[in-house]
Amino acid sequence: KLFVHFFATLRKPPTMQRFGFFFFLFLFCSACENDLADIEKVMDQLETKQEVMKGVEMLYSDSAIVRVKIRSPRVVRHLDKREPKQEFLDGMQVDFFTENQQISSQLTANYGVRFDNRNQVVVRDSVVWQSNNGERLETEELIWDENAEKLHTNKFVTIIRPDEIIYGYGFESNQDFTYSKIKAIEGVIKVDNLSKDLQ
């Protein structure tokens, strides 16, 4: 099982906190007939629902071995009790590690969101995955299921390999990208043939 560790600089919006404090004083001083339960209910609604984190680093470890590292310059953490989540509004970089702590592949995207209750990460906008063996995946959306340790998408994908370029719809892979497949292949271009055509 993967365990998640957060490292970040936390900054809560101060304006909402001050407003909540003064509003609480107003309720306490001017509405003595309200019971404590009513006041606590109002205070719960006024609680800060977001946290802004700078320089975020999330580590996913298995048996004390780091398997995945996520980095982002800014993350907004939504504290909604029904669906807490973290939004990577300024993009993100994900490093996947082997058991020997070597980076096996890297994923980048301009936007990402992690849903805590689902243990799921969704990345969108210029998604690029690059492996150490020269394989590259480009798509507009990719979903990572942390529990199943799998990635998938139903969007259009381009896979670039040293000897071919594959176009298609739908993609799934294990977390290490040692096994992957395109659900509906639209076309395959051999790199050798492409080079000859360009000449």
Side-chain angles (χ1 to χ4, degrees):
K1 180 176 175 63
L2 293 174
F3 294 92
V4 185
H5 313 274
F6 269 102
F7 302 93
T9 301
L10 180 62
R11 187 183 70 186
K12 292 184 179 180
T15 306
M16 193 56 139
Q17 291 177 329
R18 289 197 297 267
F19 174 79
F21 175 75
F22 289 119
F23 189 74
F24 174 79
L25 287 179
F26 172 78
L27 286 177
F28 184 80
C29 296
S30 64
C32 296
E33 68 274 9
N34 290 350
D35 61 23
L36 187 58
D38 289 337
I39 294 174
E40 288 179 351
K41 185 177 180 180
V42 172
M43 287 303 296
D44 284 341
Q45 295 175 350
L46 290 173
E47 278 185 354
T48 302
K49 297 298 183 183
Q50 294 182 349
E51 294 176 346
V52 178
M53 299 182 287
K54 301 274 189 172
V56 175
E57 185 174 280
M58 296 170 61
L59 301 178
Y60 290 74
S61 63
D62 184 7
S63 302
I65 298 175
V66 175
R67 300 306 302 270
V68 180
K69 180 192 292 184
I70 298 178
R71 286 176 287 179
S72 179
R74 182 173 67 99
V75 176
V76 177
R77 188 176 184 186
H78 299 270
L79 305 176
D80 189 328
K81 294 179 182 179
R82 291 169 297 180
E83 189 169 53
K85 62 184 180 181
Q86 297 96 42
E87 275 194 290
F88 302 81
L89 299 175
D90 294 338
M92 62 193 302
Q93 177 179 308
V94 184
D95 297 328
F96 295 89
F97 292 88
T98 65
E99 292 183 357
N100 298 325
Q101 296 295 279
Q102 301 295 318
I103 295 178
S104 61
S105 60
Q106 191 173 81
L107 178 75
T108 59
N110 290 337
Y111 171 84
V113 57
R114 180 181 186 272
F115 299 97
D116 292 2
N117 294 341
R118 302 184 221 167
N119 288 326
Q120 185 183 83
V121 178
V122 180
V123 292
R124 297 190 184 102
D125 190 5
S126 302
V127 180
V128 176
W129 167 78
Q130 181 81 44
S131 74
N132 285 343
N133 62 6
E135 190 170 354
R136 178 184 176 97
L137 167 73
E138 298 177 358
T139 186
E140 282 305 305
E141 181 181 83
L142 195 59
I143 301 170
W144 173 27
D145 186 330
E146 297 174 7
N147 292 333
E149 299 186 9
K150 293 182 178 180
L151 298 98
H152 69 275
T153 183
N154 291 321
K155 305 292 185 181
F156 182 79
V157 298
T158 301
I159 294 182
I160 303 170
R161 293 173 175 160
D163 60 340
E164 63 183 4
I165 301 173
I166 305 174
Y167 303 96
Y169 287 89
F171 173 85
E172 61 183 43
S173 169
N174 61 358
Q175 185 173 287
D176 297 328
F177 289 94
T178 54
Y179 166 80
S180 63
K181 70 175 182 178
I182 297 177
K183 296 178 182 178
I185 295 177
E186 292 288 306
V188 178
I189 299 175
K190 293 297 182 181
V191 172
D192 288 341
N193 295 338
L194 181 62
S195 299
K196 291 176 182 178
D197 291 341
L198 292 176
Q199 292 175 358

